[in-house]
Every structure is written in structure tokens, then in C-alpha cells.
Amino acid sequence: MENNKRRQKELKLIEIPKWGNYLREQWRGIFANHLSKVEQKSIYMDSFLWHLCSWEKVFCLEKEKAIEAFESQLKNKCTIFYQNTDEAYLVQHAKNLKINDLPFEENHMYYSDIYVMDWNNGWTFVMTHETESGIGPYFIQKP
């Protein structure tokens, strides 16, 4: 418990209101830029960006392997945003950021599809509202 409190103190979570749309577009441009707009539409990425993974249009790790990859990443700064709201966060001093630190609410319409993106765009970690059904989480590492 003491380690968890210390880790949360080290993390610096800064709210960046109204950045959600911008970050979703950034994510799409970074991780789905190999697909045309038509291809993106055909897998319903307008509904959920994580369809890129569930439709197997990108190499990604899934489930426990995705969590392990996320938690073992060297993290300095990253952004956190959602599919269905424009709320977003900048996380500074993120080296100890773990899955349990994420502002994720499994059964909440706005906070159950969450994206964590490396500030340098090298990787992303995604938790879906379908995690209980075995869809996600996902981790994508840029080559």
C-alpha cells in the first residue's frame, strides 16, 4: 500500500480539457495511417478506434501480454484520453504508471474506452468496454 501511495505522488496528472478530439485524430494518424479513410470506415473506426486491433489491421499484443508490455514500457510523459468524451490528461513523471492508476470506469459510457499514448508516439495502450468479454486490452508498439 505504501508503494502505491508513493507511486501516485510521483505521477503528475494534468487535466487538458477539450483535447479528446485532437488526441483521437493524432492516434488515428499515428497508428492507423497505413489504412485509407475507406478502410478505416469499413472497420467502424469512427465508432471505436480500437477496432484497428480487434479487426486485426495492425500488429498488437492482447490481454495479459498487452498489460505486461504497457507496464514494462519506459514512460516519461504520456496522454490519456477516451473514445466518447473530450476529457483528457497529460501524465508527467509517468515512469511508474500502472494499469490500476488509469482513470478507467468499466461500466461507464464515457470512461470505459481509454487510450494511453506515449508522448513521443512510440506506443499506445487501449482498454475497451468489452474487456470482460475478452476484447482487449491492446498494446501497439511502433516499429
Side-chain angles (χ1 to χ4, degrees):
M1 177 127 171
E2 188 64 34
N3 282 341
N4 194 28
K5 283 184 181 180
R6 188 175 332 116
R7 189 171 69 242
Q8 287 178 344
K9 268 196 218 176
E10 292 170 358
L11 295 173
K12 186 168 184 182
L13 195 69
I14 301 168
E15 196 170 335
I16 46 177
K18 300 181 183 168
W19 271 51
N21 192 53
Y22 170 77
L23 290 170
R24 285 188 294 276
E25 287 305 311
Q26 286 287 107
W27 192 97
R28 184 188 295 260
I30 294 162
F31 298 102
N33 63 356
H34 60 287
L35 298 178
S36 70
K37 294 288 184 197
V38 171
E39 290 170 311
Q40 290 180 29
K41 267 195 176 318
S42 74
I43 62 169
Y44 309 100
M45 278 187 64
D46 290 341
S47 298
F48 297 105
L49 294 173
W50 55 261
H51 281 176
L52 179 69
C53 299
S54 64
W55 284 74
E56 300 177 352
K57 298 298 184 181
V58 68
F59 175 78
C60 63
L61 299 174
E62 296 183 52
K63 300 177 178 52
E64 289 303 317
K65 288 184 179 185
I67 293 169
E68 289 171 18
F70 167 66
E71 292 194 343
S72 68
Q73 283 305 301
L74 294 176
K75 300 183 252 343
N76 181 32
K77 204 178 343 180
C78 56
T79 54
I80 297 174
F81 58 97
Y82 303 93
Q83 184 71 54
N84 294 312
T85 183
D86 283 338
E87 291 178 45
Y89 301 92
L90 170 63
V91 184
Q92 295 180 324
H93 312 294
K95 71 179 181 178
N96 294 320
L97 182 66
K98 303 289 185 200
I99 190 172
N100 291 336
D101 299 321
L102 298 177
F104 174 78
E105 294 181 35
E106 197 157 0
N107 296 315
H108 194 286
M109 183 172 115
Y110 295 115
Y111 304 108
S112 61
D113 291 292
I114 189 171
Y115 301 79
V116 181
M117 186 168 59
D118 173 46
W119 188 256
N120 296 318
N121 306 324
W123 55 265
T124 187
F125 176 71
V126 181
M127 290 181 64
T128 76
H129 68 276
E130 298 279 356
T131 299
E132 275 187 3
S133 304
I135 300 174
Y138 299 108
F139 182 85
I140 303 170
Q141 179 94 45
K142 290 295 281 184

